[in-house]
Structures are given as structure tokens and as C-alpha cells.
């Protein structure tokens, strides 16, 4: 069923104030999500944080069920944290590879690379950057050759890079990892909310997502799925994380959580997930993809604009540059016309630059990221502002 765009915009207060093309950074919350956050804060104002949390216990527990439905997981395999980077590091740091080599893609998120470098120093690991194929996606044939060596302890992949449109062939990677018995960690922070996700089909052992991007949740929310067979390898780092209920097994993934957290934001995350499920992940994907391709066509028609997107399968992120104009200047120019975009580094061309994500190695582009509440008229506005 097609998405009712007019209804979606009426439900999104921010669309009346600006053309928002930055869902890859932080999307606009729908009205029910913002209302859920504010309502809980008002309750905390009246009765205090602990009493308000106790009243919301059933709704808080339902957040895990909603997330499980979103990604084909189970509530006991999910933890809710405060950021995608924190969630990724918390899970990966506790799942020590059983073999010395860790494989990662060229589009791996820079914070993930820094965590892997720290683990490599601590545990004597070797980090191996996989080749890209001709389409700018991870070369699955290269992955299989590396797995055939038999000394791989983990494979890490970012599903959608922060500075690119390509959707990595995660399901193919997952099948290869399952066949080799190697844990597969998928960073889905840019894909959760704009693409359908199913951890069984993807074959990932760990999946990390964030709330503020395409899921349209509040800032300060993220989640991580850890496959049940790996849960016994999780141990808390802080004493405040341990509780008998979490140690008991069914909710063991929650050992990754901190006890003290923002309850209002968690409730907002749950409402955002329910909102996405009500619309349907497939209709969201189809509209986002169509809008992004429409925008690429507009930008490609402008003589001074170069579109950088690659990939056999592309998503709602569109990266481009304007001749003789620095990306931050383009961003500021558009902001002056109430058009919100961001900037992001493009994937580095060399493997050694992936392992050393320093600013001097980065080529930065302008990033426009559409969502289902955007319109063709807003894309026209962006193209006109650039021309």
C-alpha cells in the first residue's frame, strides 16, 4: 500500500518550517513520537523519574517487542542503549574473536574502525580490509577467499555508509559467514527505518541501529541485537549493569545496558518503531528509493554538480559536490534558503586509509538524504537553489 504523503506531512510539524533533507543525520520526529517523549517528561515532573518509570514498565517492555518485530529478532536478544556507536562498541568489545583476523569493508564507519584498532592492540588481532567490487560494494568473492583460510574471528560490515548510497550485499556476506562459522556484525544505523531488516535473512549475529536517523526517533536512542547463541559471551563492564533478572538468560542482552537512562527517549523510540511498522518497511523503502533516484536525476542535470553515488542497490542518501564550492559553503548556502542538508566523508580509496580514518585522508561531500515525507517539490527547491 502506498504511503499517504499528505497525512505524513501533517503528522510531521517540521515540514512546515523547512525542506528537511537530512534524515541520515537526524530525521524529523512524527507528532506521536514527540508527544510520547513530552508526555513522559511531564509525568516525571509530577511524580519523579523512578515512579514515572515504574508506571511505564509495561510500555518500556513493549519497546523490546517492537524492535524485535522490526528486525525479525526476539525481545531477549535486544538491548537498548544511548547511541549506535556505544551499542556497537559495547557488543563487539565483549565478543572477543576466537581467531586472529578480523575482516571489515572499505565503508566501515570510522568509530567502528577505531574500536577495532583498540581491540587489535589489546588482543593481538590483524585487521584486513576487504576489496570493493566494480560497483563500490564489498567484494563477496574476496570475502570467501579470506574465510577459506580458516583464521577469521569476526566480519564487520556497515550496511549503508554515512557518505554513500550503496546498500551492501549483507545477506550474501551473512550466508558466507554462517557457512564458515564466523560471527558477522552488521552496522545498520543508516538502514534501520529506510530498509526492511530481518536478522535471519541477513545472517548477522550482531545488528546495531539508531533511533534518530531514518527511524524518526529521538536523539539518545539506539539498539543492538545479539544472537541468542552468543549471549553467554556477554559480560557487563560496570557493576551497575548487573542484575539477577538480566543474568537469568531471557533478557541477557540487556547486560549491555546502563541502569540509568532516559526513559522518555526509550518510550519515544518504541513509538517511532511502531510508527514505521504501521506504515510498512517495504512501502517506506520504495518511496525513499524513488525520491532519491529522482533527486539524483535532477542533480546530474546541473552542469556544476557531480553526483558521487555508487552501488547496484542504492538508498535514500544522495552525495554530491558543486564545482569550486567547498561542501560546508554549499551547506550554509542551502541553510540560508531553509533547506537542511549535511556533509559526510566519502569512502576512502585505499585500505590503509580505512584503517587510519584521519581527516587528511577524507574527501567530504554534501549529503542530502530523503525520507517518505519529502516531496518532489522539495527536490525542485534543492535543485533550484544549487543552480
Amino acid at each position: 500500500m502506498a504511503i499517504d504523503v499528505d497525512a505524513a506531512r501533517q503528522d510531521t510539524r517540521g515540514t512546515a518550517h523547512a525542506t528537511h533533507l537530512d534524515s541520515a543525520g537526524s530525521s524529523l520526529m512524527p507528532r506521536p513520537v514527540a508527544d510520547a517523549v513530552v508526555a513522559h517528561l511531564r509525568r516525571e515532573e509530577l511524580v519523579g523519574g523512578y515512579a514515572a518509570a515504574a508506571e511505564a514498565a509495561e510500555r518500556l517492555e513493549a519497546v523490546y517487542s517492537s524492535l524485535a518485530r522490526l528486525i525479525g529478532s526476539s525481545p531477549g536478544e535486544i538491548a537498548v542503549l544511548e547511541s549506535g556507536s556505544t551499542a556497537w562498541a559495547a557488543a563487539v568489545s565483549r565478543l572477543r574473536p576466537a581467531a586472529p583476523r578480523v575482516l571489515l569493508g572499505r565503508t566501515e564507519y570510522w568509530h567502528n574502525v577505531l574500536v577495532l584498532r583498540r581491540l587489535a592492540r589489546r588482543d593481538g588481532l590483524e585487521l584486513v580490509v576487504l576489496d570493493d567490487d566494480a560497483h563500490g560494494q564489498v567484494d563477496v568473492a574476496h570475502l570467501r577467499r579470506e574465510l577459506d583460510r580458516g583464521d577469521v574471528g569476526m566480519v564487520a560490515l556497515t550496511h549503508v555508509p554515512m557518505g554513500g548510497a550503496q546498500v551492501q550485499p549483507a545477506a550474501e556476506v551473512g550466508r558466507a559467514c554462517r557457512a564458515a562459522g564466523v560471527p558477522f556484525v552488521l552496522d545498520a544505523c543508516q538502514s534501520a527505518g529506510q530498509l526492511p531488516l530481518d536478522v535471519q535473512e541477513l545472517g548477522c549475529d550482531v545488528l546495531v541501529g539508531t533511533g534518530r536517523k531514518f527511524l524518526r526517533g529521538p536523539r539518545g536512542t539506539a539498539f543492538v541485537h545479539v544472537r541468542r547463541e552468543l549471549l553467554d559471551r556477554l559480560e557487563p563492564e560496570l557493576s551497575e549493569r548487573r542484575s539477577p533478572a538480566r543474568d537469568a538468560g531471557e533478557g541477557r542482552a540487556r547486560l549491555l545496558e546502563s541502569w540509568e537512562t532516559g526513559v522518555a527517549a526509550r518510550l519515544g523510540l518504541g513509538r517511532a518503531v511502531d510508527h514505521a511498522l504501521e506504515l510498512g518497511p517495504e512501502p517506506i523503502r520504495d518511496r525513499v528509493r524513488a525520491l532519491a533516484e529522482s533527486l539524483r536525476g535532477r542533480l546530474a542535470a546541473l552542469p556544476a554538480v557531480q553526483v558521487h553515488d555508487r552501488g547496484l542497490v542504492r538508498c535514500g542518501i544522495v552525495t554530491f559536490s558543486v564545482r569550486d564550492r567547498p561542501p560546508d559553503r554549499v551547506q550554509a548556502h542551502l541553510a540560508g534558503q531553509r533547506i537542511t542538508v549535511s556533509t559526510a566523508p566519502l569512502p576512502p580509496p585505499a585500505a590503509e586509509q580505512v584503517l587510519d580514518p584521519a581527516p587528511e585522508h577524507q574527501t567530504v561531500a554534501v549529503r542530502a538524504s530523503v525520507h517518505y515525507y519529502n516531496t518532489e517539490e522539495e527536490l525542485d527547491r534543492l535543485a533550484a537553489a544549487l543552480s
Side-chain angles (χ1 to χ4, degrees), residues 193-241:
Q194 70 157 322
L195 298 174
L197 298 173
D198 187 306
V199 295
Q200 307 306 322
E201 293 181 5
L202 293 167
C204 56
D205 301 280
V206 176
L207 181 143
V208 176
T210 192
R212 75 176 190 275
K213 298 179 184 289
F214 288 93
L215 264 178
R216 305 186 66 194
R219 286 191 69 181
T221 57
F223 63 93
V224 57
H225 153 88
V226 181
R227 186 166 58 89
R228 188 175 306 279
E229 288 77 4
L230 296 182
L231 289 178
D232 286 341
R233 293 167 60 177
L234 296 180
E235 288 296 337
E237 288 185 346
L238 302 175
S239 59
E240 75 164 25
R241 295 174 188 251

Side-chain angles (χ1 to χ4, degrees), residues 113-197:
V113 175
L114 295 179
V115 172
L116 290 173
R117 286 174 56 188
R118 186 188 68 204
L119 295 178
R121 290 192 299 269
R122 185 189 74 182
D123 299 337
L125 303 175
E126 177 189 1
L127 304 184
V128 178
V129 181
L130 296 167
D131 293 336
D132 278 351
D133 63 17
H135 304 285
Q137 302 170 161
V138 65
D139 189 334
V140 179
H142 183 202
L143 167 71
R144 292 195 179 102
R145 290 195 301 271
E146 296 292 341
L147 290 172
D148 286 343
R149 285 183 48 175
D151 57 353
V152 177
M154 180 182 294
V155 174
L157 185 68
T158 293
H159 199 194
V160 171
M162 64 181 296
Q166 64 266 45
V167 180
Q168 296 284 8
E172 290 184 60
V173 172
R175 285 192 291 271
C177 291
R178 284 285 172 90
V182 173
F184 173 33
V185 179
L186 185 65
D187 183 333
C189 286
Q190 291 291 4
S191 50
Q194 70 157 322
L195 298 174
L197 298 173

Side-chain angles (χ1 to χ4, degrees), residues 253-264:
R254 301 182 204 183
L255 285 169
L256 298 173
E257 300 178 356
S258 296
W259 169 258
E260 197 55 56
T261 188
V263 173

Side-chain angles (χ1 to χ4, degrees), residues 104-108 113 127-132 142 310 346-358 360-363:
L104 62 152
R106 287 181 181 267
T107 61
E108 192 61 32
V113 175
L127 304 184
V128 178
V129 181
L130 296 167
D131 293 336
D132 278 351
H142 183 202
R310 302 178 69 193
L346 297 175
E352 59 270 18
Q353 294 175 0
V354 176
L355 298 178
D356 182 19
E360 58 266 25
H361 295 155
Q362 295 178 346
T363 300

